[in-house]
């Protein structure tokens, strides 16, 4: 199984649990991004992941349970520091990486507003793609690829599992006929 097949498999699992279409779309776009990246097509891959982040942010903001502005500020500050570190080595990739980093950070922030498990997923996805950014900026290290795979896969799973778990809880709270359960 290739990396590009993991997200469609996760999307099928989510669909079998009656998850929102936005989650399934995010995972399918991520799978397309993975496929582009496997073929060394960075910008189309980033575009697909950007679309996935748009789906995640829409889903998480629409169904948020709380706002955590201190966490949002912390993510914003961390993102600015990371971009400052990577900026000199990115060259012509600066504009697309900066745009993508904004979407990625928005996913991490809004996942934290949704629930704890998705928050973990958003944080891990941010770590994963920061590791990719270090390589793009010329700061590679031997275990980076393995860490990217681990944090990306675990991050995506936790983003999805948070939605699956919450959707299941909501369904159990509603009795047949639409009356609220006790």
């Amino acid at each position: 199984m290739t990396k590009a097949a993991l997200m469609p498999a996760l999307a099928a699992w989510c669909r079998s649990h009656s998850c929102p279409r936005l989650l399934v779309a995010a995972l399918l776009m991520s799978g397309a991004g993975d496929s582009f990246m496997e073929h060394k097509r960075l910008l189309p891959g980033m575009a697909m992941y950007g679309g996935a982040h748009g789906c995640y942010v829409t889903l998480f903001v629409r169904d948020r349970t709380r706002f955590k502005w201190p966490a949002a500020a912390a993510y914003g500050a961390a993102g600015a520091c990371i971009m400052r570190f990577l900026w000199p080595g990115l060259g012509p990739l600066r504009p697309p990486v900066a745009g993508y980093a904004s979407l990625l950070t928005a996913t991490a922030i809004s996942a934290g507003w949704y629930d704890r498990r998705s928050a973990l997923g958003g944080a891990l996805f941010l770590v994963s793609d920061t590791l990719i950014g270090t390589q793009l900026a010329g700061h590679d290290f031997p275990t980076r690829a393995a860490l990217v795979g681990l944090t990306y896969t675990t991050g995506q799973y936790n983003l999805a599992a948070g939605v699956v778990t919450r959707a299941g809880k909501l369904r159990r709270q509603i009795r047949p006929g639409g009356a609220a359960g006790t």
Side-chain angles (χ1 to χ4, degrees):
M1 181 181 281
T2 68
K3 180 182 172 194
L6 291 174
M7 292 308 113
L10 186 56
W13 175 75
C14 290
R15 197 68 200 128
S16 75
H17 286 82
S18 303
C19 285
R21 289 187 177 130
L22 280 171
L23 175 62
V24 174
L27 294 168
L28 292 176
M29 286 185 202
S30 293
D34 293 340
S35 182
F36 280 122
M37 297 298 276
E38 282 183 0
H39 293 95
K40 309 291 188 227
R41 302 205 47 217
L42 177 67
L43 293 178
M46 286 175 64
M48 288 290 101
Y49 293 129
H53 289 300
C55 290
Y56 279 133
V57 170
T58 301
L59 172 65
F60 295 144
V61 168
R62 182 187 68 195
D63 295 336
R64 69 191 174 277
T65 58
R66 61 192 175 275
F67 288 104
K68 290 186 173 183
W69 294 112
Y75 271 121
C81 290
I82 291 165
M83 284 306 299
R84 181 164 166 71
F85 172 72
L86 298 177
W87 197 258
L90 290 174
L93 292 174
R94 286 175 181 161
V97 169
Y100 177 77
S102 297
L103 291 169
L104 176 64
T105 303
T107 294
I109 291 167
S110 61
W113 294 344
Y114 186 79
D115 74 358
R116 288 187 178 138
R117 187 154 196 186
S118 294
L120 173 63
L124 289 169
F125 203 152
L126 183 70
V127 169
S128 167
D129 286 9
T130 297
L131 292 168
I132 291 171
T134 62
Q135 187 265 333
L136 292 174
H139 305 290
D140 209 1
F141 55 94
T143 58
R144 185 199 53 79
L147 289 172
V148 167
L150 177 65
T151 54
Y152 172 74
T153 305
T154 306
Q156 288 274 35
Y157 173 75
N158 279 289
L159 284 165
V163 176
V164 168
T165 300
R166 186 166 163 194
K169 287 178 184 175
L170 292 175
R171 279 194 301 278
R172 286 189 295 277
Q173 291 176 353
I174 304 289
R175 281 193 249 159
T182 55

